């Protein structure tokens, strides 16, 4: 029964009658007469009215408080932004600041001295804005100003965060970060498109590369090795786009991959033996699946006395941190006149004259696949590379398609025979829906029969389900195949332990 029905059913006795009835009910009676009591529905009605009255009063009290809080927080954010802009405007042309940036002193000292200089300007800036700041807000303002001068502005704090693996900027208003395999929207933002473009210019300045309307996208790298891709209008419709792939300061090892359950011990032993036994290995996978990380781990098994030539579109691999005799080559885009371009294919061809024991190509994307296969088929065993593919079979088809773009009059049969004769293993790396990265298959490129390249899976990952935390669990299983390359490993003096081929 709702409130309206109860009101319609009940009469409304005078207030004094209700008080008499209530008093008579509370007063002890000496006779046997029973005092009149109000109906139960009337008591329930007043109880419900009291409850509604309390709820209404609470709402009226809380809503203004929430609105005031939000308005105050927005106001403080605007004050912070305007104060930061004025600090930059006032001190941007300061010779003291420019001299400090160029001084060969540790970064921490630069930050400290820069904050001390900026602190002196804060009172006058707040006076012009007719605003006040707490001490904590002043410290945040000084930190943001120092990040603008010495770092990458709003995203500098994301670059310092070791738990973040990727930073994505979609115009000045949206900054995303990937943490533990999950992408999340951050509260950071740029002032406007001009502010974002200034940050992009700061990123590209040390690399000597440019981005503008004529060349609206570019790949580059930061001094710490992080990979950067930039796209600006007109191809970026809603503002400039920046994607930064961070790399850990400390290289991951095979033990780290085992701890992350990216593979099992038997697979790790097999891959280590395969690298030391000079098998040609191709790592296949999608974007962000961990191909570069796995390639770094595999390259760490190359004997230290061997000479390694590393070829990349933009330098990302960290092989030089684990080996001494490493020659690193990086492709170069054309200049503003459209000349001076040096492609991966040119570098692969040139590397054959550099006396390499191993050739490592960061990623094969085009006609350089043919040069890579020719190197593998002409005595340069033990080469490593990566490419985009959803499966080993898909990777083989893509290699064939890339070779066909070389411009040479080669038949599909010739290309397939080169792939079957040059490649030994394809390692498929995948990023699962829960953000974890795993080696989902290791396949041997067995042979070429009746126009078909035959692949023999050796290990596979079989997902079983999802646990209460949303993480995918499963098993790595040996398929029962003994790889034919085992004989080649024995010839190289790297016999495979027989116990690794079991479940």
């Amino acid at each position: 029964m709702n409130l309206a029905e109860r009101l319609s059913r009940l009469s409304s006795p005078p207030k004094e009658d209700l008080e008499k009835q209530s008093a008579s009910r509370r007063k002890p009676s000496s006779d046997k007469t029973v005092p009149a009591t109000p109906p139960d529905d009337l008591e329930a009605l007043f109880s419900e009215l009291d409850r509604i009255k309390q709820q209404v009063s609470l709402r009226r009290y809380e809503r203004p408080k929430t609105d005031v809080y939000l308005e105050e927080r927005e106001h403080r954010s605007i004050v912070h932004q305007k104060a930061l802009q004025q600090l930059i405007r006032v001190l941007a042309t300061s010779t003291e600041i420019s001299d400090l940036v160029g001084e060969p002193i540790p970064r921490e000292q630069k930050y400290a001295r820069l904050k001390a200089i900026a602190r002196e300007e804060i009172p006058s800036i707040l006076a012009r804005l007719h605003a006040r700041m707490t001490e904590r807000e002043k410290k945040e303002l000084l930190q943001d100003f120092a990040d603008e001068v010495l770092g990458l502005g709003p995203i500098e704090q994301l670059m310092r965060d070791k738990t973040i693996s990727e930073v994505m900027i979609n115009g000045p208003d949206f900054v995303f970060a990937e943490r533990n395999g999950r992408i999340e929207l951050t509260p950071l933002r740029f002032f406007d498109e001009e502010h974002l473009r200034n940050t992009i210019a700061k990123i590209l300045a040390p690399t000597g590369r440019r981005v503008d309307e004529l060349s609206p996208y570019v790949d580059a790298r930061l001094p710490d090795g992080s990979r950067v891709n930039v796209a600006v209008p007109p191809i970026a419709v809603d503002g400039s786009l920046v994607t930064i792939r961070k790399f850990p300061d400390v290289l991951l090892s095979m033990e780290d991959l085992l701890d992350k359950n990216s593979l099992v011990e038997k697979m790790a032993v097999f891959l280590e033996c395969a690298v030391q036994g000079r098998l040609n290995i191709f790592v296949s996978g999608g974007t962000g699946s961990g191909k570069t990380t796995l390639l770094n781990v595999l390259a760490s098994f190359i004997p230290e006395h061997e000479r390694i030539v590393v070829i990349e579109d933009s330098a990302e691999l960290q092989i030089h941190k684990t080996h001494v005799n490493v020659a690193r080559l990086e492709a170069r885009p054309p200049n503003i006149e459209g000349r001076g371009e040096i492609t991966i294919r040119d570098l692969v061809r040139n590397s054959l004259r550099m006396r390499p024991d191993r050739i490592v190509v960061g990623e094969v994307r085009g006609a350089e696949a043919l040069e890579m296969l020719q190197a593998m088929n002409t005595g340069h065993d033990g080469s490593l590379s990566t490419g985009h593919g959803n499966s080993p079979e898909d990777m083989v088809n893509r290699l064939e398609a890339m070779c066909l773009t070389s411009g040479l009059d080669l038949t599909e049969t010739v290309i397939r025979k080169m792939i079957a004769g040059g490649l030994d293993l394809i390692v498929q790396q995948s990023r699962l829906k829960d953000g974890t990265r795993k080696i989902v298959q290791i396949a041997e490129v067995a042979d070429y029969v009746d126009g078909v390249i035959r692949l023999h899976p050796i290990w596979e990952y079989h997902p079983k389900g999802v646990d209460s935390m949303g993480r995918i669990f499963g098993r790595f299983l040996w398929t029962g195949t003994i790889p034919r390359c085992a004989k080649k490993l024995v010839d190289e003096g790297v016999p495979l332990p027989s116990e690794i081929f079991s479940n």
Side-chain angles (χ1 to χ4, degrees):
M1 184 182 300
N2 57 30
L3 181 60
E5 292 174 344
R6 288 177 175 175
L7 287 173
S8 63
R9 286 184 54 188
L10 296 174
S11 59
S12 301
K15 182 177 180 181
E16 55 271 14
D17 293 344
L18 289 176
E19 291 177 353
K20 290 179 181 179
Q21 292 176 5
S22 178
S24 62
R25 187 178 61 178
R26 292 193 299 269
K27 184 178 179 180
S29 177
S30 58
D31 53 19
K32 297 182 180 180
T33 60
V34 179
T37 59
D40 292 340
D41 284 349
L42 187 61
E43 292 186 353
L45 173 63
F46 280 108
S47 176
E48 186 171 353
L49 285 173
D50 290 339
R51 181 180 61 82
I52 294 173
K53 184 178 179 181
Q54 290 177 0
Q55 289 182 349
V56 171
S57 65
L58 282 175
R59 286 198 207 97
R60 288 177 179 172
Y61 174 73
E62 290 174 356
R63 182 171 296 175
K65 180 181 178 182
T66 304
D67 289 344
V68 169
Y69 171 73
L70 291 176
E71 290 176 3
E72 182 181 356
R73 186 172 63 177
E74 184 177 356
H75 172 72
R76 290 183 178 278
S77 177
I78 294 173
V79 170
H80 180 94
Q81 179 175 326
K82 289 185 176 180
L84 180 58
Q85 288 176 314
Q86 290 204 20
L87 261 181
I88 296 172
R89 191 179 301 114
V90 169
L91 297 177
T93 58
S94 169
T95 56
E96 187 177 7
I97 296 293
S98 58
D99 292 343
L100 175 61
V101 172
E103 283 189 28
I105 59 176
R107 189 178 180 87
E108 293 77 12
Q109 294 184 20
K110 286 185 180 181
Y111 263 90
R113 289 175 57 182
L114 192 62
K115 291 178 182 179
I117 296 171
R119 181 178 287 275
E120 298 177 358
E121 299 291 337
I122 290 181
S124 59
I125 289 175
L126 292 179
R128 287 195 294 269
L129 295 175
H130 304 287
R132 291 182 298 177
M133 280 186 173
T134 65
E135 191 61 31
R136 183 177 63 84
E137 290 170 339
K138 290 179 182 178
K139 289 182 179 179
E140 292 176 356
L141 176 62
L142 292 172
Q143 182 64 47
D144 289 348
F145 173 72
D147 287 340
E148 286 288 342
V149 176
L150 299 176
L152 300 180
I155 63 171
E156 182 65 26
Q157 57 181 286
L158 301 181
M159 301 302 295
R160 287 193 294 263
D161 192 337
K162 304 301 182 183
T163 64
I164 290 177
S165 57
E166 197 146 359
V167 178
M168 294 147 279
I169 305 171
N170 297 354
D173 296 327
F174 299 99
V175 178
F176 296 84
E178 180 182 347
R179 193 193 310 268
N180 299 324
R182 302 279 184 173
I183 297 177
E184 57 190 41
L185 176 63
T186 71
L188 305 174
R189 56 178 296 175
F190 292 81
F191 301 146
D192 47 32
E193 177 68 17
E194 182 182 1
H195 184 202
L196 176 55
R197 292 294 288 268
N198 289 337
T199 302
I200 292 173
K202 191 181 297 185
I203 292 173
L204 298 180
T207 68
R209 303 194 177 190
R210 61 184 178 83
V211 62
D212 50 34
E213 291 184 358
L214 296 178
S215 301
Y217 60 90
V218 67
D219 289 318
R221 58 186 171 89
L222 296 175
D224 63 356
S226 299
R227 184 178 68 192
V228 183
N229 175 267
V230 177
V232 300
I235 65 170
V237 179
D238 299 319
S240 299
L241 306 174
V242 181
T243 307
I244 302 176
R245 172 76 57 81
K246 293 173 59 181
F247 293 100
D249 297 334
V250 179
L251 290 179
L252 295 181
S253 63
M254 186 61 79
E255 287 72 23
D256 295 320
L257 298 185
L258 290 170
D259 292 340
K260 295 177 182 292
N261 199 30
S262 296
L263 73 169
V264 292
E265 185 70 34
K266 295 176 182 179
M267 298 166 64
V269 172
F270 175 75
L271 290 176
E272 182 175 356
C273 292
V275 174
Q276 294 181 350
R278 303 184 66 83
L279 297 186
N280 294 320
I281 303 175
F282 208 94
V283 179
S284 169
T287 301
S289 60
K291 301 186 300 297
T292 302
T293 299
L294 180 58
L295 189 59
N296 272 320
V297 172
L298 295 179
S300 67
F301 297 133
I302 298 176
E304 294 184 359
H305 65 273
E306 295 188 5
R307 176 173 171 80
I308 308 170
V309 177
V310 181
I311 302 169
E312 299 177 85
D313 189 42
S314 64
E316 301 173 15
L317 295 174
Q318 308 292 316
I319 301 175
H320 62 286
K321 292 184 178 181
T322 58
H323 292 72
V324 178
N325 195 357
V326 177
R328 305 170 70 199
L329 301 175
E330 185 177 32
R332 186 178 69 185
N335 59 20
I336 194 171
E337 298 175 351
R339 293 183 291 182
E341 180 182 15
I342 299 176
T343 65
I344 295 287
R345 187 178 184 183
D346 298 330
L347 296 178
V348 173
R349 191 182 299 118
N350 181 76
S351 69
L352 302 179
R353 306 184 185 95
M354 299 175 65
R355 201 265 178 218
D357 290 310
R358 310 270 186 149
I359 299 176
V360 179
V361 179
E363 184 174 335
V364 173
R365 297 192 183 104
E368 64 270 10
L370 179 62
E371 310 296 337
M372 185 72 182
L373 290 173
Q374 287 180 336
M376 291 177 175
N377 280 281
T378 54
H380 294 87
D381 294 332
S383 298
L384 305 172
S385 187
T386 73
H388 284 265
N390 296 325
S391 66
E393 293 79 9
D394 182 48
M395 192 67 252
V396 169
N397 293 333
R398 292 201 68 244
L399 281 173
E400 182 179 339
M402 287 187 282
C403 290
L404 290 173
T405 64
S406 64
L408 300 180
D409 189 16
L410 299 175
T411 64
E412 294 181 357
T413 300
V414 172
I415 293 175
R416 289 173 183 173
K417 286 183 177 180
M418 289 179 63
I419 294 174
L423 281 181
D424 294 305
L425 295 176
I426 297 179
V427 182
Q428 185 66 36
Q429 180 88 7
S430 292
R431 176 179 173 179
L432 305 185
K433 291 183 178 180
D434 61 353
T436 58
R437 297 169 173 86
K438 298 184 184 297
I439 297 177
V440 296
Q441 190 178 101
I442 299 177
E444 180 185 29
V445 183
D447 50 23
Y448 175 78
V449 178
D450 298 330
V452 178
I453 298 175
R454 296 198 301 179
L455 301 177
H456 293 165
I458 306 173
W459 276 279
E460 292 179 337
Y461 176 74
H462 295 269
K464 298 295 182 181
V466 181
D467 62 16
S468 59
M469 302 295 291
R471 294 172 298 195
I472 297 175
F473 62 90
R475 292 186 62 194
F476 295 93
L477 297 176
W478 174 56
T479 62
T481 300
I482 302 294
R484 298 184 179 184
C485 60
K487 181 179 181 303
K488 182 177 180 180
L489 293 178
V490 172
D491 294 340
E492 290 287 338
V494 188
L496 284 171
S498 57
E499 57 270 17
I500 68 174
F501 299 113
S502 62
N503 285 320

